[in-house]
Amino acid sequence: MKKSVSLLFILLCAAVQAAPVSVTSPDGRLAVTVSDEARYSVTLDGKDIIRPSYVGFNSNRGDFTVTEVTGSQTSRFEGAYKLDRIKKSEIRYDYNVLVCTLTNKAGDAIKVEFRVSDSDVAFRYVVDNPKWASIRILEENTRFNFPAGTTSFLTPQSDAMIGWQRTKPSYEEFYFLDKPLNEKSQYGHGYTFPCLFKVGDDGWALVSETGVDSRYCGARLSDWDQLDGYKIEFPMPEENDGNGTVEPAFAVPGATPWRTITVGSTLKPIAESTVTWDVVEPRYESKHEYKFGKGTWSWILWQDGSINYDDQVKYIDLAAAMDFQYVLVDNFWDKNIGYDRMEELVRYAHSKGVDVFLWYSSSGYWNDISQCPLNKMDSPVERKQEMKWLQSIGVKGIKVDFFGGDKQETMRIYEGVLSDADDYGLMVIFHGCTLPRGWERMYPNYVGSEAVRASENLVFGQHECDIEAQNATLHPFIRNAVGCMEFGGCFLNKRLNKTNARGPIRRTTDEFELATAVLFQNPIQNFALAPNNLEDAPAYCLDFLRGVPTTWDEIRYIDGYPGKYAVIARKKAGKWYVAAINADEAAYTIDLKAIAEQFGSPATLTVLHGGAQQSLAPNYKAKPGSKAAKKANLLSIAQNDGAVIVIE
Ligand code: CA
């Protein structure tokens, strides 16, 4: 008896160890410290990345915005998994874990759990009080307080219920680059994830969230507060046309989604991070096998008028001629082709070795969309009937468009569509939608989401073409760093319209467009090609697109500055594809010898640049800076230009 009492005493001592407590990354460079008043801070090599910032929330079970750390525990979270649709195919992860008990004035406790890898901090609230079976979170006081001198690379949250048929917010706003923290957001509603920060000369930090499903809402960052920094904000009441709560709730024991901070002295850890998927779990197993690949998509250049049987045949033939696996038939197919003839069209596609994706509106009460099919995806009753039919005619996937915002009930619709679609062997692409938050690992039939100012905007206006290169340099370090991105680009038309003779003028070179096929990552790439490209585009461009992979084994950051240039390499089946694009007035120079040395000094490189594809052998003997070195080794990439270097 006496022995067990003393053991209990030792355990209690461990539980009330004095704050502050801290946890460092396995390599010791990244550290999280939690003060006794429950403020966390993050340092890299001893330098501030996040200054002391509040954690906590207010809930129907009590106010946890002001708490004290009354206990802490450390452990390790390490392992491995395979995933066929993100930056890497085999992922090993290693995090040190710190769980702090936060006790409020009423004496009730919640926990905050931090996981720290060599470049990532993930944290969430865990609620396991046995007195409660459920909890509703009224407001979070989760903060991100950056040091003075930090600048931001952010895209604002829009007003709700504005834009095309009152469909916003849909994560399709412009970026504002290298801005001071105290600059007001465009709409006054803060910023959508992911949010990139340059912390003076000390490093970069990408803030986002992951693991959001039917059990919470999507969140965003507030505008900057001079005293306390950014705060986690819940959806706006006006989203979903005012329907649905903005206060997420979940069953207890349970946890909130993870908030993530990826940190590096360069952008390398951000471009290569897998934290978004490391800390989440699959929501269900699939009995189906899903195949990724490339597709054609008539709507992007030929628009609504092309959703008819004959034009779709042309795009199926284009897919077949390009060795692509898919055709995506966009809005109005039910009206302009009809259900019966769609069965015929799918049979035609199959006869050409092409599989079919069909478009749907998410429908429901949350916007005024008239693009059809309508009201097939919002209710499980109609949804399952429709999906049964899709499966029966051999359709392989759906693209669901025009969602209502980030409320918890919208997250339930995303999850319901995904879960039901998997029952019928259907893959799912989302457009007009929220950011995916770990969904590549959580949902086995999930393909990708738009959640970006995607290729359609290039077709809609010249200004967007003028800034195409600038936008493209952002995505490897911001949007595409945390999730698959359904951009739908890679134009080879010179003018972005059906005629290729009118409409917005593409400012970029062909090789720039090819480079985005590697730079932008989505396991199915619906490229913005048109049948005329078979005749008018250079053969080496078409051949490249026939062969370029859409799933990858590895990623390697080479260089980049958001808004100026980006150089990223991806590996598949032993071949490295180096993609470089430049948006800056100053030419960007690639040293082929240095690239070759980085990838094991192959004898020749296949270089797509300057209107040609050539095999180049770096001149290893040339003196750096010499004429010979310039001639043989230096590739100069002008503004709006790009290059792809294939190394095998
Ligand atoms: Ca869109």
Side-chain angles (χ1 to χ4, degrees), residues 428-498:
V428 183
I429 292 169
F430 293 122
H431 265 234
C433 57
T434 194
L435 180 77
R437 291 159 162 96
W439 296 357
E440 296 83 353
R441 190 169 178 210
M442 291 160 68
Y443 305 108
N445 56 327
Y446 171 74
V447 175
S449 301
E450 185 182 34
V452 67
R453 283 190 77 83
S455 60
E456 60 190 11
N457 294 288
L458 299 164
V459 176
F460 295 156
Q462 186 61 51
H463 171 66
E464 209 86 24
C465 288
D466 297 344
I467 59 167
E468 178 181 358
Q470 186 192 64
N471 275 330
T473 63
L474 307 176
H475 302 319
F477 314 115
I478 308 178
R479 166 65 182 84
N480 214 181
V482 302
C484 291
M485 186 175 80
E486 240 282 311
F487 189 84
C490 213
F491 292 92
L492 291 177
N493 269 17
K494 304 288 180 203
R495 303 289 295 265
L496 301 191
N497 122 331
K498 183 175 177 179

Side-chain angles (χ1 to χ4, degrees), residues 497-508:
N497 122 331
K498 183 175 177 179
T499 65
N500 200 8
R502 292 194 304 272
I505 300 162
R506 176 159 64 86
R507 301 296 189 198
T508 61

Side-chain angles (χ1 to χ4, degrees), residues 72-113:
S72 67
Q73 277 187 319
T74 56
S75 59
R76 192 97 176 225
F77 173 68
E78 59 181 327
Y81 60 97
K82 291 182 181 181
L83 199 53
D84 56 2
R85 71 202 72 178
I86 59 166
K87 302 170 189 180
K88 302 175 188 174
S89 58
E90 293 183 24
I91 300 101
R92 290 207 60 80
Y93 58 88
D94 189 1
Y95 292 76
N96 285 327
V97 180
L98 170 69
V99 181
C100 297
T101 302
L102 310 179
T103 302
N104 69 4
K105 281 180 187 148
D108 287 319
I110 58 168
K111 290 175 178 141
V112 60
E113 175 179 4

Side-chain angles (χ1 to χ4, degrees), residues 372-390:
C372 48
L374 285 164
N375 305 317
K376 299 284 190 190
M377 286 294 144
D378 54 320
S379 141
V381 177
E382 285 81 17
R383 186 159 70 211
K384 288 192 280 191
Q385 281 171 9
E386 190 75 4
M387 289 174 172
K388 194 175 175 188
W389 172 75
L390 289 167

Side-chain angles (χ1 to χ4, degrees), residues 168-312:
K168 288 190 180 191
S170 53
Y171 289 66
E172 297 181 34
E173 305 305 312
F174 289 105
Y175 277 86
F176 294 83
L177 307 177
D178 239 341
K179 298 292 183 191
L181 300 178
N182 61 6
E183 190 161 295
K184 288 278 165 246
S185 65
Q186 186 184 353
Y187 299 93
H189 307 305
Y191 306 94
T192 56
F193 290 127
C195 299
L196 180 66
F197 300 93
K198 186 172 186 291
V199 188
D201 295 326
D202 294 333
W204 295 86
L206 186 71
V207 177
S208 194
E209 65 176 0
T210 188
V212 179
D213 58 25
S214 58
R215 297 168 293 191
Y216 215 76
C217 60
R220 66 184 194 281
L221 290 188
S222 67
D223 272 24
W224 176 255
D225 177 273
Q226 207 56 44
L227 207 58
D228 295 323
Y230 296 102
K231 175 174 170 289
I232 287 284
E233 289 280 5
F234 287 160
M236 301 169 283
E238 299 80 12
E239 291 176 33
N240 285 63
D241 213 5
N243 277 273
T245 181
V246 298
E247 295 167 353
F250 56 90
V252 174
T256 66
W258 295 94
R259 305 292 154 43
T260 61
I261 311 163
T262 300
V263 182
S265 54
T266 70
L267 289 162
K268 180 179 170 69
I270 289 169
E272 298 179 3
S273 172
T274 55
V275 65
T276 302
W277 306 282
D278 295 347
V279 296
V280 302
E281 294 282 337
R283 290 282 280 148
Y284 49 82
E285 299 277 317
S286 182
K287 62 177 189 284
H288 303 282
E289 202 182 314
Y290 296 108
K291 287 201 179 74
F292 302 127
K294 290 164 277 195
T296 58
W297 179 32
S298 76
W299 184 85
I300 186 63
L301 278 166
W302 289 18
Q303 301 275 294
D304 289 351
S306 69
I307 313 300
N308 61 71
Y309 193 96
D310 293 344
D311 281 350
Q312 291 312 308

